[in-house]
Amino acid sequence: MGKVRLMEVPNLTACVPWALESLKKFVSPPENASLVYENEVPVTPLRAFDRAAQAGKIVIVYGTQNPDENGTEYDRKTAEMIAENLRKFYSQWPRGLMSS
């Protein structure tokens, strides 16, 4: 585990230079910043979608083995709505998404 440090400061602004210096050391050399980000930042749903969008394709999968026939149809329509919302959202990106 990393070092834990307790500091008393008059206000948050007083911590900023120390925090920036600590962060700079943590990701040094600068080429390590991406590696540190990949290893330390949790994967959130939005981050996962962004990574997929950068690759150019997002695949939405839904089940068809729902014992309730209406449930399967509901799942399909929900998947289509999610796909359409993602197409709209990512169409604003310079590369966009591949449609299918």
Side-chain angles (χ1 to χ4, degrees):
M1 184 167 129
K3 190 178 359 176
V4 176
R5 188 169 176 186
L6 177 65
M7 295 173 49
E8 185 176 323
V9 294
N11 58 49
L12 186 59
T13 305
C15 292
V16 172
W18 175 82
L20 289 175
E21 190 60 35
S22 294
L23 184 59
K24 182 178 175 183
K25 288 177 186 174
F26 185 66
V27 296
S28 290
E31 298 79 38
N32 287 350
S34 292
L35 182 62
V36 169
Y37 178 81
E38 290 296 321
N39 291 330
E40 301 295 330
V41 176
V43 176
T44 62
L46 184 57
R47 181 174 165 211
F49 281 130
D50 287 350
R51 290 176 75 184
Q54 288 175 349
K57 192 168 193 175
I58 294 176
V59 177
I60 298 172
V61 178
Y62 66 95
T64 59
Q65 300 300 311
N66 194 322
D68 176 5
E69 189 175 305
N70 293 330
T72 299
E73 181 63 15
Y74 176 81
D75 292 347
R76 183 186 64 77
K77 287 181 179 179
T78 301
E80 288 174 353
M81 286 183 350
I82 291 169
E84 186 56 31
N85 285 331
L86 290 172
R87 281 187 198 101
K88 286 178 187 175
F89 179 78
Y90 287 110
S91 69
Q92 300 169 40
W93 282 36
R95 287 183 53 208
L97 277 177
M98 295 163 42
S99 293
S100 55

